[in-house]
Amino acid sequence: MSVKAFELVPAVERDLLMGDKARINIECIECCGKHLYVGTNDCFIHHFLLDEVTSPKGKPSYSSQKLLHKYLGLKKPVAELRAASALERLIVLCDGIVFLVDMVTLETVPSAAGGGAKIRGVTAFCVNENPVSGDPFCVEMGVLSWKRRTVQIYMVYEDRVQLVKEVTTPEQPCAVSLDGYFLCLALATQYMILNYNTGASQDLFPYNSEERRPIVKRIDREEFLLAAPGGLGMFANAEGVSQRAPVNWSESVIGATVCFPYVVALDESFITIHSMLDQQLKQTLSFRDGHILEVFEGRVILASTKAVYVLVPLPLERQIQDLLASHRVEEALVLTEGAQRNIPKDKFQILHKRILQQAGFIQFGQLQFLEAKEHFRKGQLDVRELISLYPLLMPASSSFTRCHPPLHEFADLNHLAQGDQEKVLRCKKFLISYLGEVRSTEVANGCREDVDTALLKLYAEQDHDSLLDLLASENACLLTDSVPWLEKYHKYFALGLLYHYNGQDSAALQLWIRVADGDLEDHTRSDLYEYVVDFLCSCSNLDLVWKYADWALRKDPTIGVHIFTKRPGSKDQSDLNPDDVVTYLGKHSRALLLYLEHVVLERRTQKERFHTHLAVLYLERVLSLLSESSKNEQQLTRARERLQALLRESNLYRVQFILGKMENNDHLLLERATLHGKLEEHDKALHILVHELRDFPSAEAFVIWASSCQDSAYRQRLFHLLLGVYLDRTLTGKSAAGVSSGDLEMAAVDLLNRHGEVFDAVRVLRMLPEGWSLQLLRPFLGRAVRASMHACRTSQIALGLAHSENLQLLHDRLKERKKPILVSEKKGCHLCHNTFSEPDVVCLPGGVPVHTHCVAQRVRDPPTKRPLTNSSNHT
């Protein structure tokens, strides 16, 4: 696809060069700064001064002034010119002779004493633009000679030339280019790379120099451009490797060069311009009779036989903008990235980001959202440029203005979509996705409010599930812009979340309560009432809790009480006081009961008033159910079970107070028995259970419960008490409650047989009636004997272990005492203070050695009774 990359501008017109001499033709050119040198076929060198002029419309042009012309006197065309500006010399090839000419006067430089300034028999030469000598006042040059298979390397000085190297080639070379130590040669049948320093060579590809003119052009450090068979422009580096794809140009190319990122080629009728980045033909210019194409200091200069032209590249940014204007995004990006080497780093980064942003908007307009997002990301787009395309999404308080010059051609989304609502919807979905990705990245720095507010509006409008996630997390949504938008789309729950995030909990609660009561319509949450309760649970503003708890309790006391029961634990003294809560719940009986259950049974609060209050509520509930004419047995059973469990497990309620409330109530005998047990009135409790309630299992369970967490003696005493109640029969054989003596005896037998190990067997045998059979008590007696034997054997084992432990301790004590005692003739007895003459000594406590006879005398008349230790250890 074509692009206008260059303009062909005349530099030296025909009339200025040759006047009315029709037979004069241009043979070669050289340009150094503003100085242009032209060699002609009549052996003249013409010197021009070129000035670049910019027209009022911005178009480039050149004005030329002829300074001088000089006849060389050889009557042959000037074949080649090369400038050595450091030496102020022109290197001239004419009539097979290379010689030096002064750049200012165009006079031939005479040879210095002892050295020549001419080289004869030359067919072609080239200047090394990457010299290896390091001398700034000499020029390195490669020379091809007539009918010699060699390349000669010369050093050119101000008034002489010096041969420094001659390299043999396999064939006669016909074209050469030099870079450092590397020669790129066109031989008769092939191209090759030759290192003249090491002699290493690398064949490239075959080529027939007789069919067409070879092209060997240095384009960069250690890289060359070659004309290959098949109309290809090939690139080769110093290793002989092509790191760029070839360019497909004309078969009849007579000249080529590189003006990055383009390859410029010249044939008989056209100038063709290919991109080095994608190898595509970008521009074609008509140019007849052209035969010279060169690059001088980055400036492309062409010549026909009669005139000189400059191929002026259009500014890179203009080329890129032209590509973008025709929506050729990929080409524009390739051109931008390829031009990085020719642009200062800071300027390139700015240019590259802008081109990426423009490319993103072009692809956005084409609904290519994935590509657009990637270009926005790489170009670090100010996301507000995108948001501002969507009407009403930017906050009213935003001070953002779009980039100038603009990054796109759209006024807004409606202009882009042209009434296509499906396109509008797709664009909005893309913006939702893009904003969701960038809001937590550096892209949103400095414009977080704009991003989050726009995202909220899109979520609300599109009924998006992520609206609540946005508002429940950290966000920067502007309240003034968001409130009317959320109200417009009936997102009252979300609006409440926004109020809460901005510290306006009272406004949030008022809004949610209106929705829960049906005054406002919002179907976001069907469990909004439960959500409000949970919100009040965690609300730190106690005034709001007290204010709205009554509404929650009236609506559903079972759930509303969660405000107090599920409130997270806090050590803060300013949190809800249970006493205040109990007082507050006085008018909500169901909620009060649930709260006291939470305080007593779950939180295990150790306060008597709460335990007593809960017991009273349980009791009142039972008495209420008992007083109903049609009793619900299932409810009554559950109520009594809760009351009984509290009476058994709690030790903090006022027992006498509760007992007084159920005194003389024959329906609550089991509860009364439990209370008597709490008062240690076990005889009364057992009397109620056995003689009034006639519930032997409950009596046995009572004894087990009452003796739990007590020692074995206490447990034994209670079991004996129950056994005594069973065996304490009246003379008539009937108990006061009408229980037969036989039932009591069977209950006693069952108690003994089930818990025989608890009883004192001897005492039981004394209590039992003489008429009971041994077979009846066999299980009890068996367990009693086994328990007695077990106790006896256990005590024997314990005694044996204690004895063994005592022996071990005595052994350890003796080992500790039996340490070496050091005596010597210089050491005296502690008792008589005389020195030791024999090794036999006795050690006093503390390791003090004394004579044996001193100890014997001490034993006969002991001052104190202290143990002695005999020792025979010595040194």
Side-chain angles (χ1 to χ4, degrees), residues 61 120 135 224 275 357 383 512 531 549 579 674 713:
S61 62
R120 299 183 181 276
D135 185 351
F224 304 93
S275 171
Q357 294 169 9
V383 69
W512 290 335
Y531 180 86
D579 292 321
T674 302

Side-chain angles (χ1 to χ4, degrees), residues 273-320:
I273 298 163
H274 292 76
S275 171
M276 295 175 65
L277 305 174
D278 59 11
Q279 295 74 50
Q280 299 299 311
L281 176 63
K282 300 299 181 180
Q283 187 178 4
T284 302
L285 297 170
S286 177
F287 190 69
R288 296 191 177 276
D289 299 326
H291 71 118
I292 299 173
L293 172 62
E294 296 286 351
V295 171
F296 303 107
E297 300 170 356
R299 182 188 299 169
V300 182
I301 299 181
L302 302 95
S304 65
T305 57
K306 305 298 182 181
V308 180
Y309 299 84
V310 179
L311 196 61
V312 180
L314 269 65
L316 184 65
E317 191 166 354
R318 178 178 167 185
Q319 297 180 43
I320 296 170

Side-chain angles (χ1 to χ4, degrees), residues 723-734:
L723 180 63
V725 172
Y726 285 156
L727 297 178
D728 187 16
R729 295 167 296 176
T730 63
L731 295 176
T732 59
K734 292 285 186 176

Side-chain angles (χ1 to χ4, degrees), residues 23 87 152 214 255 257 292 303 323 438 488 519 530 586 608 736 742:
R23 295 184 179 181
L87 307 178
Q152 296 173 321
T257 190
I292 299 173
L323 289 171
V438 305
K488 175 183 178 181
D519 298 337
E530 289 81 0
E608 172 271 326

Side-chain angles (χ1 to χ4, degrees), residues 80 296 304 390 851:
E80 202 158 352
F296 303 107
S304 65
Y390 295 73
H851 290 116

Side-chain angles (χ1 to χ4, degrees), residues 155-216:
M155 305 296 289
V156 179
Y157 296 93
E158 186 177 358
D159 55 358
R160 61 190 174 89
V161 293
Q162 180 181 347
L163 178 65
V164 295
K165 190 81 172 182
E166 186 169 13
V167 185
T168 303
T169 58
E171 299 176 0
Q172 171 69 39
C174 54
V176 62
S177 188
L178 180 59
D179 183 271
Y181 288 112
F182 296 97
L183 291 161
C184 185
L185 299 169
L187 305 180
T189 61
Q190 66 176 356
Y191 289 102
M192 70 177 298
I193 298 287
L194 177 62
N195 186 320
Y196 73 79
N197 185 47
T198 64
S201 64
Q202 174 67 51
D203 293 340
L204 298 179
F205 49 83
Y207 182 79
N208 190 344
S209 61
E210 294 181 358
E211 292 183 359
R212 60 180 58 87
R213 178 180 173 183
I215 296 175
V216 180

Side-chain angles (χ1 to χ4, degrees), residues 39 93 99 107 145 174 270 307 354 358-359 368 487 551 599 610 617 633 637 652 672 752 841 853:
L93 172 59
F99 54 95
E107 294 289 343
S145 299
C174 54
F270 298 99
R354 178 175 176 82
Q358 289 180 270
Q368 297 174 2
E487 289 177 343
W551 170 84
V599 170
F610 295 144
L617 292 179
E633 293 298 330
T637 301
L652 296 176
R672 287 169 53 195
L752 290 171
V841 296
H853 59 270

Side-chain angles (χ1 to χ4, degrees), residues 331-347:
E331 288 184 72
L333 292 174
V334 169
L335 179 58
T336 305
E337 292 164 7
Q340 180 177 0
R341 56 184 283 179
N342 295 337
I343 303 176
K345 182 177 180 181
D346 294 342
K347 184 177 179 181

